[in-house]
Amino acid sequence: QVQEGDFRIDATKGNGNDTLLLTQLCGKSGKVLAFDIQKQALETTKKKLTAAHVPENYKLLLESHANMAEYANPDSVSCIVFNFGYLPGGDHTLATRGETSIEALTQSLTLLKKGGMISLCIYSGGDSGFEERDQILAWLKELDSRKYLVIKSDYYNRPNNPPIPVLIIKKYQKLEIEGAILDEEQLKAHMEKIAIQHTLKAKSSKNTYPVPQMLENYAKIKSVYNLLNEHIKLGISIHP
């Protein structure tokens, strides 16, 4: 899922294992933000990254993941990783909480690129109880299936409340116009191809591009496309 040059977020850096993997995968041209509210997590992660001699493509933040929207733009992140629960080897009273976890997940949906993925590992039981787990699972259940694919797995034969792995994949929006389904990226590529294949002139005759009919068709497509995108931004459902 993570390609070289991508922007990704470790929302719960913990002991730094996920941060380390993300920095290695994205390469020198990529970027990683790592969040945690515990100084111990930041220091442990910093030591791990330094020892591994990874590229300096990361920023370690002593900050709640509920504020991640202040550090990234919408539709800019390819992968976001969460581990819910408490820091292994740390203070068990400083665990993630359902309210702030769901706030962070909600922000993640906005920051995620189309085709991007959010990885969740939900720990429960013991000191942390089950409240956060149940809140997150209920939130996942309500995600719009037209916009997001949610894949929940489990360790079926493992005792003692094993962690629950979940993936959220942000789907590409498809626009239906007069019976034709247009993918946003395909539409862009098609219009760019048309532009490349024709020479634009200041004064156009009947035999040069752009011809009146093509301009009219493009104007209609652009108008409908912009209107539907505004509906998507406002959360208005679009039915075929």
Side-chain angles (χ1 to χ4, degrees):
Q1 181 63 33
V2 179
Q3 304 296 324
E4 186 168 351
D6 280 352
F7 176 23
R8 73 271 332 124
I9 292 175
D10 184 355
T12 47
K13 71 170 78 80
N15 286 322
N17 295 315
D18 290 335
T19 307
L20 174 61
L21 177 62
L22 293 174
T23 58
Q24 292 172 330
L25 290 174
C26 71
K28 293 182 179 179
S29 59
K31 179 182 178 182
V32 176
L33 293 182
F35 292 82
D36 210 293
I37 59 172
Q38 296 190 62
K39 189 174 181 180
Q40 177 186 343
L42 188 149
E43 293 173 347
T44 300
T45 301
K46 177 63 176 176
K47 290 178 181 178
K48 182 165 292 185
L49 298 180
T50 301
H53 304 290
V54 298
E56 293 187 12
N57 55 3
Y58 58 87
K59 185 174 183 180
L60 306 182
L61 299 165
L62 192 63
E63 172 73 278
S64 170
H65 54 206
N67 298 322
M68 68 170 65
E70 299 177 13
Y71 297 86
N73 295 323
D75 303 310
S76 65
V77 186
S78 63
C79 181
I80 304 175
V81 179
F82 286 90
N83 284 282
F84 295 108
Y86 51 78
L87 175 66
D91 185 352
H92 289 196
T93 64
L94 296 175
T96 54
R97 295 289 181 264
E99 294 77 12
T100 52
S101 295
I102 289 174
E103 173 61 30
L105 285 167
T106 301
Q107 292 182 26
S108 296
L109 296 180
T110 301
L111 302 181
L112 199 65
K113 294 165 57 176
K114 292 180 178 66
M117 181 180 71
I118 302 173
S119 170
L120 292 68
C121 194
I122 308 170
Y123 293 88
S124 62
D127 296 338
S128 58
F130 301 98
E131 183 178 358
E132 181 185 39
R133 179 201 68 182
D134 294 343
Q135 288 176 312
I136 292 174
L137 291 177
W139 179 84
L140 290 167
K141 188 76 171 178
E142 297 301 317
L143 288 181
D144 189 339
S145 61
R146 295 169 297 179
K147 297 180 180 179
Y148 306 101
L149 172 64
V150 179
I151 303 172
K152 173 180 168 290
S153 185
D154 58 53
Y155 296 96
Y156 198 57
N157 65 338
R158 182 172 164 182
N160 302 323
N161 306 305
I164 301 172
V166 180
L167 297 178
I168 306 172
I169 299 173
K170 191 172 187 178
K171 296 181 179 181
Y172 286 93
Q173 292 293 328
K174 290 187 176 181
L175 311 179
E176 185 171 351
I177 304 174
E178 296 181 354
I181 296 179
L182 302 176
D183 182 277
E184 178 184 354
E185 299 301 322
Q186 291 174 341
L187 178 60
K188 288 181 181 178
H190 178 65
M191 297 311 299
E192 289 175 0
K193 182 178 179 181
I194 291 175
I196 291 171
Q197 291 175 346
H198 295 80
T199 302
L200 299 178
K201 297 183 179 181
K203 293 183 179 181
S204 192
S205 67
K206 292 182 179 180
N207 297 321
T208 60
Y209 179 85
V211 296
Q213 185 62 48
M214 182 168 285
L215 283 177
E216 182 180 345
N217 291 343
Y218 174 73
K220 288 179 180 178
I221 292 174
K222 184 177 179 181
S223 175
V224 174
Y225 177 73
N226 289 337
L227 178 62
L228 291 177
N229 272 337
E230 288 302 316
H231 284 191
I232 291 170
K233 291 178 183 177
L234 295 172
I236 300 172
S237 299
I238 302 173
H239 299 284

